Amino acid sequence: MLTKRIIACLDVRGGRVVKGIQFVDIIDAGDPAELAHRHAAAGADEIVLLDITATHEGRGTLLDTVKRTADKLFIPFTVGGGIRSAEDAESVFLAGADKVSINSSAIARPELIGEIGASFGAQAVIVAIDAKRNATSSDPVGDAEVYVSGGRKNTGLKVVEWAIEAEQRGAGEILLTSMDSDGRRTGFDDDLTARVSQAVQIPVIASGGAGNAQHFADVFSHAKGGGHADAALAASIFHFGITDSWELKRELAAQGVPVRLQTPVR
């Protein structure tokens, strides 16, 4: 059985890591290079850095921040935000990233998924989906909608349909963030994650709502009500010392969840 991956996320604005609740109420969490190194040393399987205002501000990714962070890492490193072309992706890879995450730009021009994949391999292309349940629908999960520009704009696209298209266009993974759960620490949106995971064949990374080990166990579960996720991403529980990846993995392993129990670097 494949091990489940634990991913630490760095939401970056103005060169600093920040964290909010449902994409607002933003507070400072620290320096991205320092936090990335700390999370990697504490047992995270991967690091994701998202330049969360690049698209809204109409600029490219902060490459100096990417390079500083990559220089501190020895585990896979994904970067997203402001990547609008294969050339932009190449600049991010040259700065030290192993994968890129695209969101608004993929919806604006879906061909971008295949263009980056053709140059760098599908495994290097993650399509990020910021999702919000449709409260007016009789099926709020099935009719969940895709948002862009840091959660500011509703595209009208359905999450499951867009995930299927992203896979068909060559995405290697889906990073699914529940805007309803983001920052609340009350658990991942297991129902929405399961809908997407069961609709595609590529790995799905769950994001939004992590608060404790049980939340991870639930989103990884393939039992009824579980999220069927291949990986799970968290930010605030790591940044603010609630737990670290090593302790989290120990708790998950005790519940029978397959995880990579490497010795943390202290």
Side-chain angles (χ1 to χ4, degrees):
M1 183 181 294
L2 293 175
T3 58
K4 303 296 187 179
R5 290 172 289 147
I6 303 298
I7 301 173
C9 182
L10 311 174
D11 290 330
V12 173
R13 183 173 72 174
R16 298 284 294 179
V17 177
V18 296
K19 193 68 191 91
I21 298 175
Q22 296 180 314
F23 288 34
V24 295
D25 296 331
I26 302 296
I27 61 174
D28 185 89
D31 177 74
E34 293 176 3
L35 283 174
H37 178 72
R38 188 176 84 194
H39 297 331
D45 296 304
E46 299 182 22
I47 299 291
V48 170
L49 185 154
L50 302 176
D51 187 343
I52 61 173
T53 57
T55 297
H56 179 63
E57 294 173 359
R59 59 170 172 77
T61 312
L62 296 171
L63 295 178
D64 57 336
T65 300
V66 173
K67 187 176 188 310
R68 277 201 315 115
T69 305
D71 287 346
K72 294 278 190 178
L73 291 176
F74 49 88
I75 58 175
F77 180 37
T78 297
V79 173
I83 299 170
R84 302 179 182 83
S85 66
E87 291 74 22
D88 289 342
E90 181 178 20
S91 296
V92 171
F93 287 127
L94 290 173
D98 301 291
K99 306 176 190 179
V100 293
S101 171
I102 53 176
N103 186 341
S104 302
S105 57
I107 289 173
R109 200 169 65 83
E111 302 82 20
L112 178 61
I113 302 169
E115 290 169 4
I116 297 175
S119 297
F120 305 101
Q123 80 288 341
V125 186
I126 297 175
V127 170
I129 301 176
D130 293 335
K132 192 171 186 178
R133 291 188 179 206
N134 186 338
T136 64
S137 169
S138 59
D139 182 9
V141 176
D143 289 334
E145 295 171 312
V146 179
Y147 282 68
V148 294
S149 298
R152 297 174 180 86
K153 180 181 178 183
N154 184 353
T155 66
L157 292 172
K158 291 186 178 180
V159 170
V160 173
E161 292 177 1
W162 172 234
I164 293 171
E165 181 178 349
E167 178 182 31
Q168 292 171 342
R169 288 184 176 275
E173 294 183 77
I174 299 293
L175 169 55
L176 177 67
T177 298
S178 166
M179 292 179 61
D180 300 296
S181 302
D182 179 69
R184 299 178 66 85
R185 303 182 196 171
T186 55
F188 296 97
D189 190 332
D190 297 333
D191 291 338
L192 179 59
T193 304
R195 290 282 186 106
V196 174
S197 296
Q198 292 169 334
V200 300
Q201 301 301 310
I202 56 177
V204 173
I205 304 166
S207 170
N212 56 48
Q214 189 59 51
H215 294 155
F216 284 84
D218 291 342
V219 83
F220 288 145
S221 173
H222 283 252
K224 184 177 180 180
H228 298 248
D230 300 278
L233 175 152
S236 56
I237 64 168
F238 297 142
H239 300 337
F240 303 125
I242 296 170
T243 188
D244 63 24
S245 295
W246 172 247
E247 181 57 36
L248 173 61
K249 287 180 177 181
R250 288 182 63 184
E251 294 184 52
L252 290 173
Q255 295 194 45
V257 178
V259 290
R260 188 168 66 96
L261 282 171
Q262 76 278 26
T263 302
V265 179
R266 299 299 188 190

